[in-house]
Amino acid sequence: MKDDFQNLVYQAIDQTITPEDFDRLQDLLESSEEARQAYLQVVNASESLHEIAASSTPVLAAQTRPADPTLPLPLYRWPSVFALRSLMIAASALILVGGLAYWLGQQRWSSLVLPATVSLESDATESQIAGHATLRRAVDLQWPSNSESAKVGDVLPNGRFQFESGIAEIDFFCGATLIVEGPAELNIESDWSVRVFQGRLRATVPPAARGFLVKAAESEVVDLGTEFTMDVTADTARVEVVDGEIMLRGGKLDGQHLYTGDKETLHGSPSQQNFGRMITATDLDRRDRSATQQRFEEWRLSMQSIQADPRLIAHYDTSNLQHRIIRNGANTGDDRDGLLVGPVDVLDGRFGTESRGLNFKRLGSRVRTRIEGDFQAFTFACWVKIDNLNQRYSALFMGDGYENGEPHWQIRDDGRLMFSVMVDDSQSVSFYNKRDQRVVEDAGLHRVYTTEPFWDISKSGQWFHLAAVYDPASERVQQFVNGTRISREAIEPKYHIDTLRIGPAEIGNWGQPFRETPWFAVRNLDGTIDELTIYNAALQPAEIQLLYESGKPLGY
């Protein structure tokens, strides 16, 4: 039996395993703890030599999977008895693992566990998104009930873009910019083309975007390096050149060129009436600043009632930054203030220049705090702008030692929210993780509650309101994005814990200050947090929705 299992593992590594034998290997891994441990040894051996080859360092070190799949990989010396054989196995794996990885990626059996440093594809695949433009700014947009709304920063795909009132600024990928006044209805066709059914717009087209098309009625306005305005209704379509030159194609004016100051009626009865004042980029700047300032003041007013809530454990508003201290806005004492540590960058927050946010992109960036006491429930909520998820795990709020009752709140690299509380740090548990398709060893009894993905690269730079509610009394964990619940899971009896704690903790990173080596997991968030709130209570969904509505920035 043992020899048979070893043969299956070696065949998997050198890509000679058959589909039937691969299924047998999977069954053995799921049913036998001994098999899983033996398999992990082989995998770790392969991983170790892969690292040695990459670094050209003549030191043999293997890494074991930690108890929690989110915990760092501790280092240990390779036992000498195992070293020679493991080295041989790893050498074979190093030569053949590339082909094996590609082969597995083409098969339904791609769940085979490979070292974390090895890709499941022979060639890295680029991230791809579909779209032709972005919504750069939005002021007082009102969306029709039958139309999907867009947020500032959204990539706009081809298709209808419609709103009932307000102003939208759209940047096309070719470089052209439209400022559109509602009511408006457009059809985005490509990076270089848009059809207008209704709306007043100003098009600014730099030389790099020359040739940009705006279609209305039966005509096409072809830019030849210019700025022009249009007024389109169901009955009329008019164009005026503010600066430069355009060419008209199709319709009754086919082939005609218009220059600075020229205006024409493309559809409907000709009229010499002025368009009325069209909004300019300067006008939009002014209105955007005014609306943002008003929104910020409304939020500040709502904060007064939030900070007076007796359930509040701590409230960190990064606009309340004094030197390198973030004051705790809750009525729970300044001993819960946060301290900026490392190269934390202070940037504009979600209300632009009116507010400030903390960016943790650079290694070592973090906010340190200490929150003593026993708690009965947790609600964590924060506003965060994610630029990228390069690390396997990106920290939002992490208890230092991850001891009994302490929380971990983070985001996985595939855009899933993760929340967990340590139940018994004295236990060591090993199990087969079906989601990750591998055996993991847990450094303590706990469960990680994971959502479906809420983030991908197309949402880079957008602000999100995230919330996690951990409620031992009702035995459930709920997680929210922008006021909407995206997961609800029961707390099973074995994972139930009544007394919750925080203690020393970090925002935006996790440095494990009690580690025994200088190595630490890279968990810094590649993004910005400008507000974080912690409650000793399980907030209701309506309360989470209110936090989102009262705190959302302009254009959301």
Side-chain angles (χ1 to χ4, degrees), residues 140-153:
D140 300 329
L141 286 189
Q142 298 295 321
W143 305 94
S145 57
N146 61 345
S147 175
E148 185 174 349
S149 62
K151 298 188 295 296
V152 170

Side-chain angles (χ1 to χ4, degrees), residues 314-330:
H315 178 248
Y316 301 104
D317 165 20
T318 56
S319 294
N320 190 19
L321 185 63
Q322 300 176 13
H323 302 291
R324 293 183 67 80
I325 300 293
I326 308 176
R327 296 301 179 190
N328 169 28

